[in-house]
Amino acid sequence: MKPTVNKISKSDLKTSIDYHLRCSLCKETPTKDYRDLFLSTAFSLRDRMAEKILHTEQRYQTSQTKRVYYLSLEFLIGRLMGNNLHNLGMFDVCREFMAEAGIDIEAVREQENDPGLGNGGLGRLAACFLDSMATLDIAGFGYGIHYEYGLFKQEIDNGYQREKPDNWLADLNPWEFKRTDEKCIIPIKGRIEHFQDRDGDYNPMWLDWNFIVGIPFDIPVVGYGGETVNWLRLYGAGSSADFDIQIFNEGDYFRAVEQKVASETITKMLYPLDTIMSGRELRLVQEYFLVACTLKDIIRRYMKNNENFDRFPEQVAIQMNDTHPSLAVAELMRLLVDEYALPWDHAWEITQQTLAYTNHTVLAEALEKWPTDLLERVIPRHLQIIYEINRRFLEKIAARYPGDVDLLRRMSLIEEGESKLVRMAHLALVGSHSVNGVSALHTEILKQDNFSDFYALWPERFVNVTNGITQRRWLLEANPRLAELITNTIGDAWITDLSRLRQLESYADETAFMDEFRDIKRANKEDLAKTISDTLWLSINPDSLFDIHIKRIHEYKRQLLKIMHIIHEYLQIIKGEKTPTLAKTFIFAGKAAPGYWVAKQIIKLIHNVGQVINQDRRIQDALKVVFLPDYSVSLAEKIIPAADLSEQISMAGQEASGTGNMKFMLNGALTVGTLDGANVEMLEEAGADNIFIFGLKAEEITDMIKKKNYYAVEYYRLFPEIRRVLDTFRDNTFCPDEKGLFQWIYHRMMNNKDPYFHLPDFFPYIQVQDQIEAEYLDPVNWTKKAILNVARSGKFSSDRAVSDYNRLIWNKETPSEPL
């Protein structure tokens, strides 16, 4: 069904904007102040969205539809004005209205802060899914945390990352509705008293707890066409009162506000530093706060229309986005057993049939484990419940596999050791009716490796749902030139059905279409070159190959491999071994976690290599290295449409899916990558001739690890290209004023401490880069490949992914005999 796009006249929009200028902002009209125009336009859109939210809710109530609740510690929603205008069908009217007043709508949109509600792909995926659920008319709602400060603002000082506070809420956020009337009380800390009820059954009591107030903020989520408007509910932490007035009157002013400050700290910042105990405790409290607020709200909504919990799994689906919300298993059990007095077995059946778990990583560091003594201090009742879940689960495993003590150890929710740890992924697995990976390769790795014991026990619970991105954000909004060309060529049905892009295949050889496609890419590159010039005072040639590596800075994503390739090309040129036939611009962006020393050193290396190359007159602009600071959704929207080449070069078997690769493909960039994550499926869709695949496969790396036959010194000895690059880290080529700065890279490699296999993949990587260079020099052939990438990207829509979730997980019948 094609959505009906809302219609509004320019005069009606002007009336609404003028009203909010006068009555909401108390400003004179007309105005050309961009900030005032942004706010008044946002308020005008919010008025329309509020009406739509009420109509949508009435429709859901009438139909008694099943509701999907998506729990995520991150929602990287990006700026909302453009997305809301497009989905409400008001973008063209608004642009024309502002143009007639001599105002650039893009300058107005720049006034909006990027909401600091996420870090990378996990949060952006959650945002794409909310857009798709609304567009598909699914009653789907997000639940997250109303962080006052985002991850951090990244500044670069002499090549080093410096973290600054990201106070994205310092200015008014016009999109949200504060719902103080729906706040909830969350218990925390305290102690457990062991009692028996009148029948002699064990009846523990959680006593002397403190409490936190969860204050909800709702942000409307508009589906394309504007008919369905769901919401993202974010909880901020507050105290029960501003302060204890009695303590204040007694003169102890600091103690009077202590509880208020402590409570509000919980939602101050995304990802507190967890290398110290106070940071780890705060992180745990955040995760508990999210699930406790969410489940109270879900149950409150459910009980409006129900007298008991018999229909709960029929009416409620809860999706846990990674392990962060896995405490939902224990919290839902606590609510059902403690507060609603359900028998344990009945409560457990409801819990399993309601919850589902999405795993996003095979990295051990991201499969959270919490010390039992920390849980006992923060949420003692939940630890008790986890122990009981584990006891019952292991009893059934022991009965099914008698005598297999090692299996019990591997599957236990508790990891024994010097200090006991709760395996949160195991808790999520045991407490859910479904677990899914996010690409075909990732799901197979979960089945055969990380969770093989659970897969052997419950093969029917494991499904794959390959990730996706919303074309409304990443093509319609981010690349309007290409979106217009596509619409003029095949119509606009692709906006809600991305598979329609297949129709572009017949235009991949058409000269006029290819010329226009190439002109659009050139214009987007000019725009990005201007952004680079304005940001870094660096001149970039738009006719150069834009080779782009933008993502979180992490060793497994192998920014270092890209830099090693750049150094290799640089050395070839300055030693007279290669005469450049193609100018190349290498563009990086991404943030390193504040406590991740290696990642921060890689940022410094990128800057130092760039400084040497960009200033070397022998290069004559054949190579340029760029690092754009403070990577965000808005910056990605500028970079991705300009890309010629997308770097997706993580070590095979490490990237769960990747969604950046999909965004580049949709915007006509060719991908160079390993057979990792969704690259495998992109190869299948695009065809081997239209993607550049290199390097070891996941199973080959696993085999090398098992056999312990990777010796870096052998690669150093056998390949002069590798030896020459590694020697630059030892001889201070890129740190003449900071001697020894990068020697750690050389020593780490030579001491066989390279867990991400840079050297085995280096030679295949430079070979495929030579192939890329040769193909880019044939613009007609390159353009055809780029068009085919766009045409074959339909599978990677978040609309398809959400439809898969809806079919395979949220509306799938669950077993009546949970283990």
Side-chain angles (χ1 to χ4, degrees), residues 68-73 75 141-145 182 184-186 214-216 231-235 286-302 312 316-320 325 328 331-332 335 355:
V68 177
Y69 299 102
Y70 197 83
L71 276 66
S72 179
L73 216 58
F75 284 93
F141 309 92
Y143 278 89
I145 291 180
E182 295 183 2
C184 53
I185 304 299
I186 304 302
I215 303 168
W231 37 258
L232 165 62
R233 173 157 284 197
L234 304 172
Y235 278 94
Q286 284 184 339
E287 294 183 4
Y288 165 61
F289 175 75
L290 167 63
V291 301
C293 291
T294 297
L295 289 169
K296 277 187 176 292
D297 195 54
I298 291 171
I299 290 175
R300 177 185 63 82
R301 293 175 185 279
Y302 171 80
F312 196 75
V316 174
I318 298 174
Q319 190 72 36
M320 297 180 287
E331 173 64 2
L332 184 53
L335 291 169
L355 295 174

Side-chain angles (χ1 to χ4, degrees), residues 109-129:
R109 290 175 60 195
E110 286 288 329
Q111 301 303 306
E112 184 175 1
N113 293 330
D114 268 63
L117 298 171
N119 175 26
L122 181 80
R124 185 52 233 173
L125 179 80
C128 285
F129 280 4

Side-chain angles (χ1 to χ4, degrees), residues 191-262:
R191 60 189 175 86
I192 302 297
E193 283 289 342
H194 307 281
F195 294 108
Q196 291 182 331
D197 62 20
R198 66 183 66 182
D199 298 321
D201 295 327
Y202 179 56
N203 185 27
M205 301 294 290
W206 186 5
L207 303 174
D208 296 336
W209 39 263
N210 299 326
F211 59 88
I212 311 162
V213 177
I215 303 168
F217 296 78
D218 288 351
I219 296 177
V221 178
V222 188
Y224 186 74
E227 293 307 310
T228 296
V229 181
N230 296 327
W231 37 258
L232 165 62
R233 173 157 284 197
L234 304 172
Y235 278 94
S239 56
S240 59
D242 284 345
F243 49 75
D244 189 317
I245 193 66
Q246 182 176 348
I247 298 175
F248 184 86
N249 289 337
E250 289 172 358
D252 194 343
Y253 309 123
F254 292 103
R255 191 160 65 92
V257 299
E258 188 177 66
Q259 176 63 34
K260 172 180 169 61
V261 172

Side-chain angles (χ1 to χ4, degrees), residues 170-188:
D171 297 322
L172 175 67
N173 179 15
W175 305 112
E176 62 188 24
F177 298 88
K178 187 175 182 179
R179 307 284 199 182
T180 52
D181 58 319
E182 295 183 2
K183 62 188 177 185
C184 53
I185 304 299
I186 304 302
I188 192 169

Side-chain angles (χ1 to χ4, degrees), residues 519-780:
D519 289 345
I520 287 168
K521 180 65 73 174
R522 179 59 159 72
N524 291 337
K525 292 170 73 173
E526 288 176 354
D527 289 346
L528 181 56
K530 184 178 186 307
T531 296
I532 293 170
S533 176
D534 293 344
T535 305
L536 303 175
W537 294 81
L538 182 64
S539 177
I540 297 300
N541 176 10
D543 291 318
S544 63
L545 168 67
F546 278 23
D547 182 339
I548 296 181
H549 195 311
I550 53 170
K551 54 187 79 241
R552 179 165 53 98
I553 309 296
H554 195 290
E555 289 172 274
Y556 91 82
K557 294 179 182 288
R558 300 205 294 194
Q559 286 90 354
L560 179 58
L561 182 61
K562 180 73 251 178
I563 279 290
M564 290 171 65
H565 163 244
I566 295 170
I567 293 171
H568 166 71
E569 290 220 2
Y570 171 66
L571 294 175
Q572 280 187 310
I573 294 171
I574 65 172
K575 292 181 181 296
E577 299 169 0
K578 177 179 181 179
T579 300
T581 57
L582 172 65
K584 299 180 182 179
T585 300
F586 304 102
I587 300 172
F588 295 86
K591 295 179 179 180
Y596 193 171
W597 182 85
V598 171
K600 295 175 84 169
Q601 283 288 300
I602 289 171
I603 291 175
K604 172 63 173 171
L605 175 63
I606 293 169
H607 280 88
N608 278 32
V609 171
Q611 185 176 34
V612 169
I613 291 176
N614 295 345
Q615 295 178 1
D616 193 331
R617 294 183 179 179
R618 292 172 294 179
I619 298 298
Q620 296 181 339
D621 293 334
L623 305 177
K624 284 285 180 72
V625 180
V626 175
F627 187 98
L628 281 166
D630 205 33
Y631 186 49
S632 63
V633 174
S634 299
L635 184 55
E637 289 177 14
K638 296 176 181 178
I639 296 173
I640 290 171
D644 294 309
L645 186 66
S646 163
E647 297 278 350
Q648 308 297 331
I649 58 176
S650 55
M651 185 180 90
Q654 295 295 296
E655 187 73 81
S657 172
T659 51
N661 47 7
M662 303 170 187
K663 295 162 193 167
F664 282 106
M665 183 183 188
L666 180 63
N667 281 273
L670 272 62
T671 297
V672 56
T674 53
L675 281 174
D676 196 25
N679 288 354
V680 176
E681 289 155 273
M682 287 171 57
L683 169 63
E684 294 171 355
E685 295 296 312
D689 291 339
N690 302 305
I691 189 171
F692 303 100
I693 298 297
F694 75 97
L696 295 169
K697 298 177 182 177
E699 58 269 24
E700 292 173 325
I701 291 174
T702 300
D703 187 58
M704 289 178 71
I705 291 172
K706 287 180 179 177
K707 292 179 179 177
K708 298 182 179 179
N709 61 357
Y710 167 30
Y711 299 102
V713 68
E714 291 297 311
Y715 288 91
Y716 183 84
R717 182 176 62 82
L718 291 173
F719 298 103
E721 298 88 351
I722 290 176
R723 184 164 60 250
R724 193 161 65 178
V725 169
L726 289 183
D727 283 347
T728 66
F729 302 133
R730 185 173 57 167
D731 64 18
N732 303 313
T733 300
F734 298 105
C735 54
D737 300 325
E738 298 173 274
K739 304 294 185 184
L741 184 61
F742 301 123
Q743 287 184 7
W744 67 270
I745 302 174
Y746 173 85
H747 293 302
R748 195 174 192 185
M749 296 283 187
M750 290 299 98
N751 291 330
N752 251 32
K753 295 180 180 178
D754 174 24
Y756 299 108
F757 284 62
H758 289 78
L759 301 191
D761 273 354
F762 179 74
F763 201 71
Y765 184 53
I766 62 174
Q767 288 179 316
V768 80
Q769 287 287 347
D770 289 341
Q771 178 191 349
I772 289 166
E773 182 173 326
E775 298 213 19
Y776 190 78
L777 289 170
D778 181 352
V780 172

